[in-house]
Amino acid sequence: MKIDRSRLERSIQDLGRIGETARGGLTRLALTDDDRRARDTMVRWMREAGLHVTVDRMGNIFAERAGEPGQPPVLIGSHIDSVPTGGKYDGQLGVLCGLEILRTLGDRGARTRHPVTLVIFTGEEGARFQPAMIASGVLAGKIALEDAYNARDRDGIRLVDELERIGYLGPEPCVPRAFRAYLELHIEQGPFLEEEGRSVGVVEGIVAIAWSRLTIHGVQDHAGPTPMRIRHDALVAAAEVVAGVRRIASAIGGELVTTVGRLDVSPNIPNAIPGRVSLSIDMRDPSDATLDVALPRLDRVVREACEREGVRYELEHYWRVPYTPFDRQVVAVVERAAQATGASWRRILSGAGHDAQYMAAIGPAGMIFVPSRDGRSHCEEEFTAIDDIEHGANTLLGAVVELAGRA
Ligand code: HGY
Ligand code: MN
Ligand code: MN
């Protein structure tokens, strides 16, 4: 049994047009009208494939292909929301490969012991509503529903109000549910598979992630008449923090990565001394112990930068996901399936977070990677060749067939 390559390719192109940017990338933020249009398209395709569609209270969409009564499902999941000016493969590819598996099983009239269910998770990117993986976090019981509902975007709009507005505030409880296994196909978003000429990554786990947010309160004043000796410039302190965050990574070394990705300045005009600056800090490492060293260093960098400038600040370490090893049995199944496709593969660790990270907290989970051209992602240049996608999708098919068992 093999997937239908041209049908999969058409689905990627068709869904990729919803939120497409002028440069051929994708901007489809969670719970926007483009997200709604993409969801509606997926629900239509799911129903055309004969799947039973349900929606839960976080807007996660489930499309089930029946198995034997009472058997826990094999879940195949990912997301269809993107980052601003992102790519058409991050998340969307996993969802469409999952749909292709279900279409292929349907074409063959295959009867499986366990149901096979495709899941689309709400707001995986954390671009509009933080933190990332918010809906799989609620489903895994790691994030309170009320906290997720009250998450606000930069315009102060609440997540729950947007779920309601786009018609995806579903009735199903968003709580941990039993499953045979959870599988997610995803682009690597790094350079290693391509560098080694491999089509498939057998993912062994995901790094630990820590997100913090910092607000610095300076003294807003006129850029002209205010002498330098009496200034308290929030942006000067923030600039030292940004440089300090980079120095933490170079000082600790190893595989620690640190990023300040968001920086908002107020009032953000040429002739006013910034009174308030808020910024994000993202830190990741395969070892939680390294993050436990890095975070206190961040505290010190912030304290010293703000003391030097005589400004106040609030620093909140508000999201932490531990290093997550995948289930050894599921990894072995994925490895066998990769081998059976004849594609070149290797084991690999994920530097990006995924819904699989939270799903692994409540059941056996695993992932399949396909290469990213030039290792690029979260940008319009994001691309994966269809030959590699085909190998990845056939690996996913093989793993699903083995885990779902024959009826
Ligand atoms: O942040 C991440 O790693 C993912 O793209 N949400
Ligand atoms: Mn993703
Ligand atoms: Mn992403």
Side-chain angles (χ1 to χ4, degrees), residues 79 83 90 124-125 186 189 352-353 377-378:
H79 61 95
V83 299
D90 179 352
E124 188 279 341
E125 288 296 1
H186 204 285
Q189 303 178 293
S377 180
H378 281 194

Side-chain angles (χ1 to χ4, degrees), residues 20 50 250 322 326 330:
E20 185 175 36
S250 27
F326 285 135
V330 174

Side-chain angles (χ1 to χ4, degrees), residues 256-322:
L256 174 65
V257 292
T258 63
T259 313
V260 173
R262 177 176 169 178
L263 186 135
D264 296 312
V265 182
S266 169
N268 208 22
I269 56 171
N271 54 0
I273 299 167
R276 193 183 68 253
V277 172
S278 59
L279 56 91
S280 65
I281 301 109
D282 177 319
M283 292 187 165
R284 307 183 189 207
D285 191 276
S287 153
D288 282 287
T290 304
L291 291 189
D292 293 340
V293 169
L295 284 163
R297 292 196 187 183
L298 172 62
D299 295 341
R300 201 175 74 222
V301 161
V302 170
R303 187 177 60 251
E304 290 173 356
C306 292
E307 277 167 3
R308 271 193 296 276
E309 192 58 26
V311 295
R312 287 184 305 106
Y313 68 91
E314 289 105 29
L315 175 59
E316 191 189 356
H317 304 311
Y318 70 96
W319 186 50
R320 180 75 183 260
V321 190

Side-chain angles (χ1 to χ4, degrees), residues 78-79 81-82 89-92 124-125 133 184-187 189 352-355 367 377-378 382:
S78 203
H79 61 95
D81 65 300
S82 81
Y89 299 84
D90 179 352
Q92 170 166 292
E124 188 279 341
E125 288 296 1
M133 298 116 76
E184 181 164 0
L185 181 146
H186 204 285
I187 53 173
Q189 303 178 293
H354 302 285
D355 293 308
M367 288 188 78
S377 180
H378 281 194
E382 186 180 280

Side-chain angles (χ1 to χ4, degrees), residues 139-402:
L139 190 139
K142 303 293 184 187
I143 296 175
L145 181 69
E146 277 319 297
D147 292 347
Y149 274 7
N150 290 317
R152 291 179 185 273
D153 69 6
R154 52 176 64 204
D155 299 323
I157 299 171
R158 287 197 314 162
L159 182 147
V160 65
D161 298 328
E162 285 293 86
L163 264 183
E164 185 124 48
R165 183 183 68 82
I166 68 165
Y168 279 89
L169 178 53
E172 297 297 319
C174 186
V175 294
R177 52 174 74 194
F179 51 88
R180 167 73 183 83
Y182 173 87
L183 287 170
E184 181 164 0
L185 181 146
H186 204 285
I187 53 173
E188 177 200 343
Q189 303 178 293
F192 300 115
L193 292 179
E194 183 182 64
E195 279 172 357
E196 295 180 20
R198 301 193 189 260
S199 288
V200 175
V202 177
V203 189
E204 297 184 291
I206 302 180
V207 296
I209 304 174
W211 278 12
S212 309
R213 49 178 159 234
L214 169 63
T215 301
I216 298 175
H217 302 279
V219 177
Q220 183 170 328
D221 222 327
H222 198 301
T226 312
M228 296 310 286
R229 59 184 164 76
I230 60 169
R231 293 186 178 207
H232 300 283
D233 185 330
L235 187 52
V236 167
E240 291 187 13
V241 169
V242 172
V245 166
R246 167 60 70 90
R247 275 198 305 275
I248 289 171
S250 27
I252 293 178
E255 293 175 82
L256 174 65
V257 292
T258 63
T259 313
V260 173
R262 177 176 169 178
L263 186 135
D264 296 312
V265 182
S266 169
N268 208 22
I269 56 171
N271 54 0
I273 299 167
R276 193 183 68 253
V277 172
S278 59
L279 56 91
S280 65
I281 301 109
D282 177 319
M283 292 187 165
R284 307 183 189 207
D285 191 276
S287 153
D288 282 287
T290 304
L291 291 189
D292 293 340
V293 169
L295 284 163
R297 292 196 187 183
L298 172 62
D299 295 341
R300 201 175 74 222
V301 161
V302 170
R303 187 177 60 251
E304 290 173 356
C306 292
E307 277 167 3
R308 271 193 296 276
E309 192 58 26
V311 295
R312 287 184 305 106
Y313 68 91
E314 289 105 29
L315 175 59
E316 191 189 356
H317 304 311
Y318 70 96
W319 186 50
R320 180 75 183 260
V321 190
Y323 165 69
T324 304
F326 285 135
D327 178 89
R328 297 163 69 90
Q329 240 205 5
V330 174
V331 173
V333 168
V334 169
E335 189 169 290
R336 278 198 294 277
Q339 222 135 14
T341 65
S344 167
W345 60 274
R346 61 160 275 184
R347 288 193 168 214
I348 193 167
L349 181 69
S350 176
H354 302 285
D355 293 308
Q357 197 154 10
Y358 275 132
M359 297 306 281
I362 54 172
M367 288 188 78
I368 296 162
F369 272 178
V370 288
S372 294
R373 185 174 60 189
D374 303 331
R376 303 291 307 280
S377 180
H378 281 194
C379 58
E380 294 171 304
E381 293 77 9
E382 186 180 280
F383 177 80
T384 298
I386 186 63
D387 287 351
D388 293 324
I389 293 172
E390 185 176 20
H391 285 310
N394 279 321
T395 300
L396 180 61
L397 176 61
V400 167
V401 167
E402 180 172 344

